[in-house]
Amino acid sequence: MKTTFIPIDFSYFDFEGKNFVKMVGRDNKGKRICVIDSCPVFLWAILSENIKTKEVRGLIEKVQKIEVKGKDRTTRVENVEIHDKKFLGREVQALKIFATNYKDLHDIADQLNLPGIEKRRGYDLGFVSHYIIEKEILPLKWVEVEGELLNNSLDFGGIDGVFEVDECIKAEKITSSKEIGFEPRILAYDIETDEFQIGEGEIVMVSLYGKNFKKVISWKKLANKEKPDYVDYVKDESELIEKFIEEVKKYSPDFLVGYFSDGFDLPYLKARADKNKIKLSIGLDGSQPRFSRGRELTGEIFGIVHVDLLKFIKTAYSQYMQSESLSLNEVSKEFLGDSKKEFEFVHSSKLDDKGLLNFFEYNLHDSSLAYRLFEKMWPDILEFSIVMQEPTFDVTRNGMSKNVESYLLHNLKRFNEIPEKRPVHEEISERMEREKYEGAFVFEPTPGLYEDVVFFDFTSYWPSIIVTFNLSKSTLLEGKEKDATEIDVSGKNFWFSKKPGFFSEMLKEIIEKRTQYKKELKQKEDVFKKARSNAFKLLANASYGYQGFFGARYYCPEASAATTAISRKIIKEIIDKINSQDYKVIYSDTDSIAFLKNKKTEKQVEELLEKLNSELPGIMKLELEGFFERGLWVSTRAGNVGAKKKYALIDSKGKIKIRGFETVRRDWCDLARELQSKVINLILKEGNEKKALEYFKEVIKKLKNREIKKEEIMITTQIKKPLNEYKSISPHVIAAQKMKDAGLPVTIGSLVEFYIAETREKKKLIREKVKLPDESGEYNLEYYLNNQILPAVENIFEVFGVKTKELIDGKKQMTLF
DNA sequence: GACTGAACTATACC
DNA sequence: ACGGGTATAGTTCAGTC
């Protein structure tokens, strides 16, 4: 039979010692299909450079006889071929060694520790990735499948008999198909429980939200009020879990979506199913979710892609987001303009009818938010899967370095390259201990309020350096060669080949594709194209970090150090050139330069830009970031030098851009942040400090009169490690400990909120004055004056010669008097 | 007990 | 374990007098 098919979920199984991929997806009529396929399994043995033909023949004969006896199967070498390949850009001869089972390749490799074989590679990709590379079948890309319809046949020991799909096909031929669009079936879910610890308390209710579908399943019932339509009552928790499974099966989603569901909802469901002695048989073959043993839990369901949106948001969006936390509430506000429903948690036994009704709504709304977030992010999720060529389950969980690596591995074929291996544990520890290399250049500004500021910045600065100078593991030379680029890295020299390597070639393609899509987007908007452009942008940006990351296959700190060395050299040259053209550079950080326009016209500035660009090497390019009417730089708190990474700008439309100031830091209280923001605004708009100073005096007065609302003085700080590992017990650790004592969950990543209160006795340390938001108390006047609002504006007013400290002290004495 | 610099910690910038 | 280094700034800690 023949069908058009889109693969969504990827997994594999063994039958008679061989590996088979099972792909679950849809056909063009929306029917749910499972396609079973296989591919040759092999690894590479790279031969020594000087090996003789005769020796190769002997080696092949020896390798052909290798057999590995395992507990439940025997794997043997089935065939050996010799190929001309490349490894790290070097031409090599390599044996392609075919074997029975992918998981046994490691054992085969152990037997290949033979003279004449230099390296063994290509057996640590995972069978699914190996399959995708070999058969060139991409996740979420339509294909034409020809094969045998398995209809409860005995093939594969009757494995398809238990698959809850419309058709199961054993593939004979798979070819690519034209794109016909795909609308995924999405189901979001969320549970509410009596305890925060996994499995500790009962699951009170679970909500489901899909297309024209909403449901809350609960064993807790309203006593007197009528139940809403979307609520289904069940007898107890055990029935709740069974009903949940039933509803998921009935809805038949491609994607089951949660928020922090890898870490909470799914493991909680599993734990409670275990406790109730029932099976959480949610997989399409009746299997239970499988949880990885890694540092962080991940829950995988056969046939349904379980997506934890929190993880994807962390890697794909967080660096560009305004939200100060990644809570469902904040993220929903930013992406959907909607927030969670208000609800104060109480134990289910203490819920009255009104509370329970709210709880139903709250629970359903959370699922609705997750559903809509998925819809919003679907173009990015889809394009990430297609660009990285990895299953959606993985790309939604991997970090950017893993994504860079996926892209590399899936494109090596075009370069005839054998993949490098993953670093082993010892290598990783060694790499982690390496000395840091010197990074970017930051210009020390002179504090002041400047008029007419121009900003230039480089487009994809570091990636463009890597490409232009060919900086990578495969192009790093051992010593000086004739056709090499010599790079002085803080007094030490490195040489890189001028012949382009696959890393910089691929990165060049990534940058070019990004530029091309961006150009096309200007002509016509398209959410999917935008998502693809974004995926390439993120890949390019992560490529520099990748080479310096200890877990990378293509780890190359020399390339990273060379990249930053070149970046420092070039930006300093540009600064000199701009200064020599009768402009004055006032600031620079990594890839951006700010300078005074000096009464010149915008056209003259653009000509300057053009000239600078004509002198830049390779694909490097400088861009005009913008013209600004005013810019403010301040000094550091400690000394009288200009502070780096702290400035504020205003453009001709009155739009203000603030960098680094306390205003943009979440670990300062709102009072200080809003005061500072207002002061910066007034100064930039007015061009002087007068109105700002008046405003500051008002705030001091209000604070002293205790007219400030409590929520404005709350300080929020993140817990970054287990509480007992803190060497220095700072206020936020005390706050966290207090929360823990009150039975609230505090884990790594938790944000704790507290304020500094007045104390009866005189206490020396700030941490002794910490109180949680719901603890009664007066805010500590001295602390908020001297440690919050004064530091927030002191350096700003200092630019104008105003001594704010005297302002606070003077007033204080007066009020005391 | 006051003072001081180093260490620790969180968060921003690019 | 799940990109990198540069930088500011607060609070505690440990040493001195």
Side-chain angles (χ1 to χ4, degrees):
Chain A
M1 73 163 296
K2 201 176 162 178
T3 190
T4 309
F5 170 74
I6 184 166
I8 303 167
D9 181 63
F10 288 74
S11 51
Y12 72 93
F13 66 97
D14 285 359
F15 183 65
E16 290 177 349
K18 287 181 179 292
N19 314 110
F20 294 89
V21 164
K22 11 177 209 183
M23 294 174 280
V24 175
R26 301 275 170 186
D27 71 3
N28 49 0
K29 292 177 191 76
K31 275 200 283 185
R32 192 170 230 168
I33 311 279
C34 177
V35 172
I36 294 175
D37 194 16
S38 61
C39 73
V41 165
F42 58 84
L43 81 162
W44 293 100
I46 299 167
L47 302 179
S48 310
E49 218 169 322
N50 45 15
I51 193 166
K52 296 198 181 74
T53 318
K54 212 170 126 192
E55 289 172 316
V56 174
R57 226 174 289 143
L59 197 58
I60 292 178
E61 268 171 41
K62 212 186 269 178
V63 170
Q64 259 160 347
K65 288 189 192 119
I66 291 175
E67 206 178 272
V68 179
K69 283 206 170 73
K71 259 185 285 180
D72 29 60
R73 62 172 177 262
T74 299
T75 281
R76 54 177 64 88
V77 169
E78 303 196 328
N79 192 17
V80 181
E81 294 171 359
I82 183 148
H83 289 259
D84 289 325
K85 297 287 290 180
K86 283 188 176 174
F87 182 65
L88 296 174
R90 193 163 53 88
E91 311 251 346
V92 293
Q93 273 196 304
L95 299 183
K96 190 175 189 181
I97 301 164
F98 295 86
T100 322
N101 192 296
Y102 196 89
K103 290 197 289 281
D104 297 329
L105 288 179
H106 204 282
D107 295 332
I108 303 255
D110 286 344
Q111 307 277 316
L112 290 172
N113 199 0
L114 303 168
I117 293 179
E118 204 181 273
K119 290 187 169 83
R120 294 146 286 174
R121 291 294 185 271
Y123 54 93
D124 60 355
L125 305 173
F127 182 64
V128 170
S129 297
H130 173 83
Y131 170 82
I132 292 172
I133 294 167
E134 280 314 294
K135 301 285 282 232
E136 300 182 1
I137 289 160
L138 270 59
L140 301 176
K141 274 277 207 187
W142 288 96
V143 287
E144 301 289 340
V145 181
E146 275 178 58
E148 182 194 336
L149 180 66
L150 301 179
N151 204 353
N152 292 329
S153 63
L154 290 175
D155 291 41
F156 304 118
I159 191 172
D160 67 298
V162 294
F163 286 1
E164 295 161 41
V165 293
D166 299 313
E167 277 167 6
C168 189
I169 299 164
K170 182 182 167 190
E172 272 143 24
K173 193 178 162 199
I174 305 185
T175 51
S176 61
S177 155
K178 66 174 188 345
E179 282 306 302
I180 48 179
F182 169 60
E183 200 181 311
R185 274 188 79 72
I186 310 155
L187 184 64
Y189 76 113
D190 180 57
I191 64 169
E192 303 300 341
T193 66
D194 272 335
E195 295 287 340
F196 296 110
Q197 284 297 55
I198 302 284
E200 293 282 299
E202 272 190 88
I203 299 172
V204 183
M205 61 184 78
V206 56
S207 64
L208 292 164
Y209 196 97
K211 192 179 181 183
N212 302 319
F213 181 79
K214 50 180 185 177
K215 194 169 283 294
V216 170
I217 305 162
S218 167
W219 53 258
K220 178 86 186 171
K221 299 166 185 130
L222 293 159
N224 300 308
K225 284 193 177 163
E226 200 183 322
K227 130 184 125 62
D229 287 343
Y230 60 82
V231 177
D232 277 0
Y233 287 150
V234 286
K235 193 176 79 210
D236 52 20
E237 189 187 36
S238 173
E239 230 176 59
L240 180 147
I241 295 168
E242 277 167 351
K243 176 92 174 148
F244 167 74
I245 298 166
E246 187 191 317
E247 291 292 342
V248 172
K249 300 223 165 201
K250 224 195 283 173
Y251 187 86
S252 182
D254 299 312
F255 296 97
L256 185 66
V257 181
Y259 202 87
F260 190 44
S261 51
D262 268 345
F264 187 71
D265 303 68
L266 201 58
Y268 209 115
L269 277 160
K270 176 70 168 62
R272 294 308 294 182
D274 289 349
K275 187 122 191 165
N276 284 291
K277 296 194 171 60
I278 53 173
K279 290 253 182 283
L280 189 64
S281 49
I282 198 170
L284 294 191
D285 55 353
S287 64
Q288 304 200 69
R290 290 191 312 160
F291 293 95
S292 68
R293 294 181 298 267
R295 196 172 55 93
E296 279 189 338
L297 281 178
T298 55
E300 198 171 0
I301 303 164
F302 168 62
I304 302 170
V305 182
H306 177 230
V307 175
D308 181 349
L309 281 173
L310 173 62
K311 285 198 175 145
F312 185 64
I313 288 170
K314 257 188 208 162
T315 50
Y317 303 100
S318 64
Q319 70 178 119
Y320 303 100
M321 284 170 62
Q322 301 301 310
S323 306
E324 277 165 19
S325 82
L326 294 183
S327 66
L328 179 58
N329 194 34
E330 292 259 324
V331 169
S332 302
K333 272 193 222 163
E334 183 159 346
F335 283 97
L336 307 171
D338 193 1
S339 52
K340 279 169 79 104
K341 294 248 188 241
E342 296 237 349
F343 182 77
E344 189 132 351
F345 273 95
V346 285
H347 194 273
S348 60
S349 58
K350 288 178 184 136
L351 275 168
D352 58 13
D353 270 10
K354 195 174 163 233
L356 183 57
L357 204 55
N358 280 341
F359 209 9
F360 288 151
E361 280 177 26
Y362 172 89
N363 181 220
L364 182 67
H365 193 68
D366 273 8
S367 283
S368 138
L369 292 174
Y371 178 86
R372 285 181 284 153
L373 280 173
F374 185 91
E375 277 190 317
K376 188 112 188 167
M377 291 165 186
W378 168 243
D380 289 307
I381 292 172
L382 172 74
E383 295 298 338
F384 257 58
S385 308
I386 293 171
V387 170
M388 316 312 169
Q389 305 187 23
E390 280 284 307
T392 310
F393 179 85
D394 302 281
V395 290
T396 52
R397 287 172 175 79
N398 290 342
M400 271 322 287
S401 90
K402 202 78 204 293
N403 286 331
V404 169
E405 194 156 279
S406 295
Y407 187 89
L408 292 170
L409 292 173
H410 284 276
N411 285 281
L412 284 177
K413 236 186 183 177
R414 292 192 277 130
F415 298 86
N416 198 30
E417 268 275 334
I418 292 172
E420 175 59 299
K421 69 170 167 58
R422 247 191 334 243
V424 294
H425 196 267
E426 298 86 74
E427 280 174 287
I428 291 179
S429 338
E430 216 173 278
R431 291 174 179 188
M432 284 172 85
E433 278 166 29
R434 79 160 156 80
E435 269 186 58
K436 283 192 171 183
Y437 54 85
E438 199 180 334
F441 168 71
V442 189
F443 187 100
E444 189 190 294
T446 306
L449 180 68
Y450 297 92
E451 306 269 326
D452 281 331
V453 180
V454 188
F455 258 81
F456 282 170
D457 62 10
F458 280 95
T459 39
S460 306
Y461 195 37
W462 283 345
S464 73
I465 292 170
I466 295 171
V467 171
T468 299
F469 296 91
N470 206 18
L471 311 173
S472 66
K473 181 168 178 173
S474 78
T475 47
L476 173 68
L477 303 172
E478 276 170 31
K480 193 171 183 170
E481 276 181 34
K482 209 172 69 191
D483 205 22
T485 316
E486 185 177 80
I487 292 152
D488 177 349
V489 178
S490 315
K492 203 176 162 205
N493 281 341
F494 291 131
W495 293 271
F496 291 88
S497 155
K498 283 193 176 159
K499 201 170 139 250
F502 66 88
F503 191 93
S504 49
E505 289 274 284
M506 272 192 233
L507 188 50
K508 193 177 170 194
E509 286 172 12
I510 290 169
I511 296 169
E512 281 167 357
K513 279 181 184 159
R514 148 91 172 142
T515 318
Q516 179 207 325
Y517 288 129
K518 218 178 155 185
K519 211 165 118 191
E520 286 175 25
L521 279 168
K522 269 192 181 165
Q523 281 148 8
K524 197 174 164 236
E525 276 291 316
D526 176 342
V527 285
F528 291 100
K529 198 172 270 182
K530 191 171 176 190
R532 187 164 297 191
S533 157
N534 193 44
F536 282 114
K537 172 183 156 187
L538 290 171
L539 270 183
N541 287 348
S543 62
Y544 159 73
Y546 173 79
Q547 297 204 95
F549 167 52
F550 52 76
R553 288 172 194 255
Y554 296 102
Y555 175 72
C556 187
E558 296 87 350
S560 303
T563 308
T564 56
I566 293 169
S567 85
R568 294 190 298 270
K569 186 164 167 277
I570 291 185
I571 205 143
K572 283 178 192 165
E573 283 168 7
I574 298 279
I575 289 171
D576 288 344
K577 282 183 188 176
I578 294 176
N579 279 333
S580 73
Q581 299 289 312
D582 195 29
Y583 296 93
K584 191 176 181 337
V585 171
I586 55 168
Y587 186 62
S588 166
D589 185 351
T590 312
D591 62 348
S592 70
I593 301 170
F595 58 94
L596 301 180
K597 198 157 146 245
N598 256 5
K599 309 250 183 259
K600 299 248 185 9
T601 63
E602 293 193 357
K603 194 167 168 259
Q604 281 174 305
V605 171
E606 272 158 26
E607 280 164 9
L608 168 71
L609 179 66
E610 214 166 289
K611 186 177 180 308
L612 293 172
N613 266 323
S614 69
E615 293 163 6
L616 281 170
I619 66 162
M620 302 189 67
K621 194 166 175 264
L622 201 56
E623 263 189 331
L624 174 69
E625 227 285 297
F627 293 103
F628 298 90
E629 291 209 330
R630 290 195 184 97
L632 176 71
W633 274 263
V634 300
S635 63
T636 62
R637 291 273 292 159
N640 35 18
V641 296
K644 299 170 177 182
K645 297 182 187 288
K646 263 181 132 172
Y647 60 90
L649 304 166
I650 186 166
D651 66 16
S652 58
K653 288 174 188 152
K655 206 176 160 219
I656 285 170
K657 193 162 138 179
I658 299 179
R659 291 288 122 97
F661 278 108
E662 284 75 5
T663 301
V664 298
R665 293 180 61 98
R666 69 163 177 216
D667 55 348
W668 282 71
C669 71
D670 281 354
L671 177 72
R673 294 174 68 181
E674 276 160 25
L675 163 69
Q676 189 189 57
S677 166
K678 193 83 194 264
V679 164
I680 290 173
N681 259 271
L682 287 169
I683 287 173
L684 286 176
K685 281 190 173 136
E686 299 291 322
N688 64 57
E689 82 292 2
K690 297 214 165 51
K691 281 194 179 174
L693 204 53
E694 288 309 309
Y695 181 75
F696 178 42
K697 283 179 189 165
E698 269 175 49
V699 172
I700 295 175
K701 206 167 121 193
K702 270 194 183 169
L703 191 65
K704 286 185 175 172
N705 290 339
R706 301 204 170 272
E707 288 165 14
I708 302 294
K709 282 191 214 131
K710 223 168 173 181
E711 58 256 35
E712 286 189 72
I713 49 129
M714 292 302 158
I715 297 162
T716 308
T717 316
Q718 193 177 32
I719 293 297
K720 306 200 86 162
K721 53 185 171 189
L723 294 189
N724 56 10
E725 280 178 25
Y726 279 94
K727 287 177 191 161
S728 173
I729 311 301
S730 44
H732 81 293
V733 179
I734 297 296
Q737 195 54 55
K738 281 191 171 198
M739 281 171 74
K740 222 171 186 179
D741 294 344
L744 294 163
V746 179
T747 54
I748 295 169
S750 295
L751 289 174
V752 298
E753 214 183 344
F754 61 91
Y755 71 100
I756 305 304
E758 299 282 5
T759 47
R760 216 171 293 162
E761 300 106 59
K762 206 170 158 57
K763 303 273 190 187
K764 216 175 83 185
L765 294 175
I766 296 162
R767 66 164 178 230
E768 292 168 318
K769 305 169 196 169
V770 165
K771 280 191 175 176
L772 295 182
D774 56 8
E775 279 185 87
S776 63
E778 297 274 356
Y779 58 75
N780 189 303
L781 186 60
E782 202 194 328
Y783 176 83
Y784 282 96
L785 279 175
N786 292 323
N787 298 37
Q788 288 282 331
I789 69 166
L790 182 67
V793 296
E794 194 172 28
N795 301 355
I796 299 174
F797 286 118
E798 195 199 2
V799 167
F800 304 93
V802 179
K803 297 247 171 13
T804 33
K805 179 85 178 108
E806 290 167 13
L807 217 75
I808 283 188
D809 291 346
K811 286 245 170 149
K812 201 172 161 193
Q813 278 162 13
M814 272 168 70
T815 42
L816 282 174
F817 181 75

PDB file of all heavy atoms in Angstrom, chain A residues 353-365:
ATOM      1  N   ASP A 353     -17.771  25.582  48.703  1.00  0.00           N
ATOM      2  CA  ASP A 353     -18.292  25.555  47.337  1.00  0.00           C
ATOM      3  C   ASP A 353     -17.723  26.666  46.470  1.00  0.00           C
ATOM      4  O   ASP A 353     -17.343  26.445  45.325  1.00  0.00           O
ATOM      5  CB  ASP A 353     -19.827  25.640  47.352  1.00  0.00           C
ATOM      6  CG  ASP A 353     -20.450  24.253  47.413  1.00  0.00           C
ATOM      7  OD1 ASP A 353     -19.676  23.291  47.635  1.00  0.00           O
ATOM      8  OD2 ASP A 353     -21.674  24.134  47.236  1.00  0.00           O
ATOM      9  N   LYS A 354     -17.647  27.841  47.059  1.00  0.00           N
ATOM     10  CA  LYS A 354     -17.144  28.982  46.297  1.00  0.00           C
ATOM     11  C   LYS A 354     -15.680  28.751  45.899  1.00  0.00           C
ATOM     12  O   LYS A 354     -15.273  28.947  44.761  1.00  0.00           O
ATOM     13  CB  LYS A 354     -17.262  30.250  47.147  1.00  0.00           C
ATOM     14  CG  LYS A 354     -17.120  31.505  46.326  1.00  0.00           C
ATOM     15  CD  LYS A 354     -17.393  32.757  47.181  1.00  0.00           C
ATOM     16  CE  LYS A 354     -16.851  33.984  46.492  1.00  0.00           C
ATOM     17  NZ  LYS A 354     -15.957  34.778  47.323  1.00  0.00           N
ATOM     18  N   GLY A 355     -14.914  28.285  46.897  1.00  0.00           N
ATOM     19  CA  GLY A 355     -13.501  28.016  46.658  1.00  0.00           C
ATOM     20  C   GLY A 355     -13.312  26.936  45.611  1.00  0.00           C
ATOM     21  O   GLY A 355     -12.460  27.059  44.716  1.00  0.00           O
ATOM     22  N   LEU A 356     -14.093  25.892  45.690  1.00  0.00           N
ATOM     23  CA  LEU A 356     -13.951  24.772  44.762  1.00  0.00           C
ATOM     24  C   LEU A 356     -14.307  25.199  43.337  1.00  0.00           C
ATOM     25  O   LEU A 356     -13.618  24.826  42.380  1.00  0.00           O
ATOM     26  CB  LEU A 356     -14.834  23.601  45.203  1.00  0.00           C
ATOM     27  CG  LEU A 356     -14.721  22.330  44.353  1.00  0.00           C
ATOM     28  CD1 LEU A 356     -13.279  21.822  44.295  1.00  0.00           C
ATOM     29  CD2 LEU A 356     -15.632  21.225  44.892  1.00  0.00           C
ATOM     30  N   LEU A 357     -15.355  25.984  43.224  1.00  0.00           N
ATOM     31  CA  LEU A 357     -15.751  26.469  41.906  1.00  0.00           C
ATOM     32  C   LEU A 357     -14.625  27.303  41.282  1.00  0.00           C
ATOM     33  O   LEU A 357     -14.296  27.153  40.103  1.00  0.00           O
ATOM     34  CB  LEU A 357     -17.036  27.309  42.046  1.00  0.00           C
ATOM     35  CG  LEU A 357     -17.917  27.436  40.808  1.00  0.00           C
ATOM     36  CD1 LEU A 357     -18.309  26.071  40.261  1.00  0.00           C
ATOM     37  CD2 LEU A 357     -19.178  28.237  41.144  1.00  0.00           C
ATOM     38  N   ASN A 358     -14.022  28.155  42.101  1.00  0.00           N
ATOM     39  CA  ASN A 358     -12.864  28.935  41.636  1.00  0.00           C
ATOM     40  C   ASN A 358     -11.718  28.026  41.223  1.00  0.00           C
ATOM     41  O   ASN A 358     -11.014  28.281  40.252  1.00  0.00           O
ATOM     42  CB  ASN A 358     -12.352  29.853  42.752  1.00  0.00           C
ATOM     43  CG  ASN A 358     -13.190  31.105  42.869  1.00  0.00           C
ATOM     44  OD1 ASN A 358     -13.918  31.454  41.930  1.00  0.00           O
ATOM     45  ND2 ASN A 358     -13.106  31.762  44.003  1.00  0.00           N
ATOM     46  N   PHE A 359     -11.540  26.981  42.014  1.00  0.00           N
ATOM     47  CA  PHE A 359     -10.447  26.046  41.763  1.00  0.00           C
ATOM     48  C   PHE A 359     -10.639  25.363  40.398  1.00  0.00           C
ATOM     49  O   PHE A 359      -9.681  25.205  39.632  1.00  0.00           O
ATOM     50  CB  PHE A 359     -10.406  25.007  42.882  1.00  0.00           C
ATOM     51  CG  PHE A 359      -9.034  24.442  43.148  1.00  0.00           C
ATOM     52  CD1 PHE A 359      -7.900  24.981  42.565  1.00  0.00           C
ATOM     53  CD2 PHE A 359      -8.877  23.352  44.017  1.00  0.00           C
ATOM     54  CE1 PHE A 359      -6.634  24.462  42.827  1.00  0.00           C
ATOM     55  CE2 PHE A 359      -7.614  22.819  44.279  1.00  0.00           C
ATOM     56  CZ  PHE A 359      -6.503  23.375  43.678  1.00  0.00           C
ATOM     57  N   PHE A 360     -11.889  24.961  40.097  1.00  0.00           N
ATOM     58  CA  PHE A 360     -12.189  24.366  38.786  1.00  0.00           C
ATOM     59  C   PHE A 360     -11.777  25.315  37.656  1.00  0.00           C
ATOM     60  O   PHE A 360     -11.091  24.938  36.709  1.00  0.00           O
ATOM     61  CB  PHE A 360     -13.689  24.069  38.644  1.00  0.00           C
ATOM     62  CG  PHE A 360     -14.173  22.910  39.478  1.00  0.00           C
ATOM     63  CD1 PHE A 360     -15.489  22.879  39.939  1.00  0.00           C
ATOM     64  CD2 PHE A 360     -13.345  21.842  39.784  1.00  0.00           C
ATOM     65  CE1 PHE A 360     -15.957  21.817  40.702  1.00  0.00           C
ATOM     66  CE2 PHE A 360     -13.796  20.772  40.548  1.00  0.00           C
ATOM     67  CZ  PHE A 360     -15.103  20.764  41.012  1.00  0.00           C
ATOM     68  N   GLU A 361     -12.222  26.561  37.818  1.00  0.00           N
ATOM     69  CA  GLU A 361     -11.929  27.560  36.780  1.00  0.00           C
ATOM     70  C   GLU A 361     -10.434  27.793  36.637  1.00  0.00           C
ATOM     71  O   GLU A 361      -9.898  27.880  35.531  1.00  0.00           O
ATOM     72  CB  GLU A 361     -12.600  28.899  37.127  1.00  0.00           C
ATOM     73  CG  GLU A 361     -14.070  28.938  36.776  1.00  0.00           C
ATOM     74  CD  GLU A 361     -14.711  30.255  37.206  1.00  0.00           C
ATOM     75  OE1 GLU A 361     -13.991  31.269  37.310  1.00  0.00           O
ATOM     76  OE2 GLU A 361     -15.934  30.251  37.449  1.00  0.00           O
ATOM     77  N   TYR A 362      -9.794  27.912  37.796  1.00  0.00           N
ATOM     78  CA  TYR A 362      -8.353  28.143  37.830  1.00  0.00           C
ATOM     79  C   TYR A 362      -7.612  27.016  37.112  1.00  0.00           C
ATOM     80  O   TYR A 362      -6.752  27.236  36.269  1.00  0.00           O
ATOM     81  CB  TYR A 362      -7.926  28.227  39.297  1.00  0.00           C
ATOM     82  CG  TYR A 362      -6.450  28.273  39.544  1.00  0.00           C
ATOM     83  CD1 TYR A 362      -5.773  29.478  39.591  1.00  0.00           C
ATOM     84  CD2 TYR A 362      -5.726  27.096  39.753  1.00  0.00           C
ATOM     85  CE1 TYR A 362      -4.409  29.530  39.831  1.00  0.00           C
ATOM     86  CE2 TYR A 362      -4.372  27.131  39.994  1.00  0.00           C
ATOM     87  CZ  TYR A 362      -3.715  28.353  40.032  1.00  0.00           C
ATOM     88  OH  TYR A 362      -2.371  28.386  40.260  1.00  0.00           O
ATOM     89  N   ASN A 363      -7.991  25.805  37.442  1.00  0.00           N
ATOM     90  CA  ASN A 363      -7.354  24.617  36.883  1.00  0.00           C
ATOM     91  C   ASN A 363      -7.553  24.553  35.361  1.00  0.00           C
ATOM     92  O   ASN A 363      -6.617  24.315  34.596  1.00  0.00           O
ATOM     93  CB  ASN A 363      -7.935  23.375  37.559  1.00  0.00           C
ATOM     94  CG  ASN A 363      -7.312  22.076  37.070  1.00  0.00           C
ATOM     95  OD1 ASN A 363      -7.990  21.085  36.887  1.00  0.00           O
ATOM     96  ND2 ASN A 363      -6.017  22.078  36.829  1.00  0.00           N
ATOM     97  N   LEU A 364      -8.761  24.806  34.925  1.00  0.00           N
ATOM     98  CA  LEU A 364      -9.051  24.764  33.489  1.00  0.00           C
ATOM     99  C   LEU A 364      -8.297  25.877  32.753  1.00  0.00           C
ATOM    100  O   LEU A 364      -7.747  25.663  31.677  1.00  0.00           O
ATOM    101  CB  LEU A 364     -10.559  24.912  33.239  1.00  0.00           C
ATOM    102  CG  LEU A 364     -10.990  24.823  31.774  1.00  0.00           C
ATOM    103  CD1 LEU A 364     -10.763  23.406  31.238  1.00  0.00           C
ATOM    104  CD2 LEU A 364     -12.447  25.222  31.595  1.00  0.00           C
ATOM    105  N   HIS A 365      -8.253  27.034  33.376  1.00  0.00           N
ATOM    106  CA  HIS A 365      -7.601  28.178  32.747  1.00  0.00           C
ATOM    107  C   HIS A 365      -6.109  27.924  32.535  1.00  0.00           C
ATOM    108  O   HIS A 365      -5.547  28.323  31.513  1.00  0.00           O
ATOM    109  CB  HIS A 365      -7.823  29.431  33.582  1.00  0.00           C
ATOM    110  CG  HIS A 365      -7.457  30.696  32.861  1.00  0.00           C
ATOM    111  ND1 HIS A 365      -8.167  31.157  31.763  1.00  0.00           N
ATOM    112  CD2 HIS A 365      -6.442  31.582  33.037  1.00  0.00           C
ATOM    113  CE1 HIS A 365      -7.607  32.265  31.320  1.00  0.00           C
ATOM    114  NE2 HIS A 365      -6.561  32.550  32.073  1.00  0.00           N
TER     115      HIS A 365
END
